[in-house]
Amino acid sequence: MTCENRTRVTEFILLGFTNNPEMQISLFILFLAIYAVTLLGNFLIVMVTSVDPALQTPMYFFLRNLSLLEVCFTLVMVPKMLVDLVSPRKIISFIGCGTQMYFFFFFGSSECFLLSMMAYDRFVAICNPLRYSVIMNRSLCLWMAVGSWMSGVPVSMLQTAWMMALPFCGPNTVDHFFCDGPPVLKLVSEDTTMYEMQAVASTLLFIMFPFSLILVSYTRIITAILRLPSATGRQKAFSTCASHLIVVCLFYGTASLTYLRPKSNQSPESKKLVSLSYTVITPMLNPIIYSLRNNEVKGAVKRTIYKTRKVL
């Protein structure tokens, strides 16, 4: 179907959260603070895992990649969201919407696979500790990281190209704070059943497949931990996985609510809150979770701050 006798949409209006000016200013201040904490926390993780000799292990190599991904992920949406909160015209061009959607899918899918690589790293460390350094060598870690980053290319290209090729001939108001797939899909001027089937299939492949790898890894990990003879050993082993498990639950739990049901009957407000949790809140919490629950990271942060003060 084409937009015969009708004008094709050239821009979208993002409704965001509210039209109340006072509420918009409050939200702007809140989200700006969250974004600042997100950038500071993730860049701090990148810095300490890069320069501290004690953190030159595969676990922290993947953590550094996760922090870089979180910075890129939030960069796709949060700056535009902040501008819209203080701007009278919440407009995004058709091409801009497609670009935002592409990088959102790209970094989101990449994070799914990176989290599964981190689970495999913990599996090897706990279930095969004597051969850990041999198995998780520098070359393998590099290829696993590159593979995780590049895994986002197929799904982002397919989802975005297909979506943007659909006819948008009528309303152009997106009831969301960024160009996410489900709310934009509602504006398409033809039946979208085929796209929805493809979207669910892509979700199963690029979200649930990595998640199944994580489940398998942690099933083996928990089995191995429960076989340890000492309570101290079990507690130490569990502590090395706790941060990663929390991050996985936060990210997958909220993302699956949105993408396993592209046209669910949830209210727009509840969908925005769910999206807000994995696009804004989770990237802020990740460095906090890893820092508070990891003595090595806390020690590295203290050493880095001490060295910086000495230089200054």
Side-chain angles (χ1 to χ4, degrees):
M1 177 180 174
T2 59
C3 296
E4 295 179 1
N5 302 323
R6 289 188 290 176
T7 304
R8 185 177 176 86
V9 169
T10 58
E11 63 182 20
F12 293 102
I13 301 171
L14 298 172
L15 289 185
F17 297 98
T18 178
N19 290 322
N20 187 316
E22 294 182 359
M23 183 65 71
Q24 287 180 343
I25 295 298
S26 300
L27 289 175
F28 174 81
I29 295 172
L30 174 63
F31 292 145
L32 182 62
I34 291 174
Y35 190 47
V37 172
T38 301
L39 293 179
L40 178 62
N42 283 289
F43 277 128
L44 187 61
I45 292 290
V46 171
M47 182 174 67
V48 298
T49 55
S50 299
V51 303
D52 196 282
L55 302 185
Q56 303 309 303
T57 63
M59 174 180 172
Y60 297 109
F61 170 76
F62 290 121
L63 178 57
R64 179 161 65 248
N65 277 270
L66 178 63
S67 291
L68 285 172
L69 258 178
E70 297 289 27
V71 170
C72 296
F73 192 55
T74 55
L75 188 63
V76 173
M77 296 150 297
V78 179
K80 172 62 177 170
M81 180 183 69
L82 291 173
V83 171
D84 286 344
L85 283 170
V86 294
S87 173
R89 297 184 75 247
K90 300 171 177 57
I91 302 295
I92 186 169
S93 68
F94 187 84
I95 295 176
C97 183
T99 302
Q100 187 181 58
M101 191 180 298
Y102 173 85
F103 284 107
F104 171 74
F105 288 138
F106 173 78
F107 292 122
S109 300
S110 299
E111 183 164 342
C112 289
F113 278 89
L114 183 60
L115 288 172
S116 68
M117 296 300 102
M118 296 174 75
Y120 177 74
D121 170 68
R122 292 298 82 208
F123 161 72
V124 177
I126 292 173
C127 299
N128 207 342
L130 298 179
R131 300 190 61 222
Y132 177 69
S133 59
V134 176
I135 297 173
M136 298 302 294
N137 58 71
R138 187 178 184 86
S139 177
L140 179 62
C141 291
L142 182 61
W143 280 111
M144 288 170 68
V146 171
S148 297
W149 281 84
M150 298 309 296
S151 66
V153 174
V155 66
S156 56
M157 290 186 66
L158 175 63
Q159 296 271 36
T160 307
W162 193 335
M163 174 78 78
M164 294 294 104
L166 295 172
F168 292 88
C169 314
N172 67 335
T173 302
V174 180
D175 195 359
H176 211 50
F177 60 92
F178 72 99
C179 280
D180 196 6
V184 174
L185 187 64
K186 291 183 177 180
L187 305 180
V188 175
S189 304
E190 70 174 15
D191 181 66
T192 59
T193 302
M194 289 298 296
Y195 179 86
E196 291 177 56
M197 292 173 61
Q198 170 273 140
V200 172
S202 297
T203 299
L204 292 174
L205 178 61
F206 289 95
I207 294 182
M208 301 313 295
F209 176 68
F211 184 64
S212 66
L213 295 179
I214 294 172
L215 284 179
V216 171
S217 296
Y218 273 104
T219 300
R220 299 286 300 275
I221 288 171
I222 292 172
T223 302
I225 290 175
L226 293 177
R227 290 175 180 170
L228 294 175
S230 68
T232 304
R234 290 194 295 269
Q235 183 179 0
K236 184 178 180 181
F238 271 121
S239 67
T240 64
C241 304
S243 298
H244 181 253
L245 270 174
I246 294 171
V247 170
V248 167
C249 292
L250 286 172
F251 183 79
Y252 275 97
T254 52
S256 60
L257 289 176
T258 300
Y259 295 101
L260 284 177
R261 298 185 300 169
K263 274 193 171 181
S264 67
N265 294 322
Q266 286 180 306
S267 68
E269 288 72 23
S270 63
K271 291 181 180 179
K272 292 174 191 178
L273 289 175
V274 171
S275 297
L276 191 67
S277 63
Y278 65 82
T279 58
V280 179
I281 306 301
T282 300
M284 177 194 69
L285 293 177
N286 285 355
I288 297 174
I289 292 169
Y290 275 100
S291 298
L292 291 179
R293 297 192 60 87
N294 192 304
N295 291 326
E296 290 182 331
V297 173
K298 286 190 286 187
V301 170
K302 292 177 182 178
R303 288 191 295 271
T304 302
I305 294 174
Y306 177 73
K307 290 178 182 178
T308 304
R309 285 180 177 176
K310 285 185 67 176
V311 172
L312 296 176

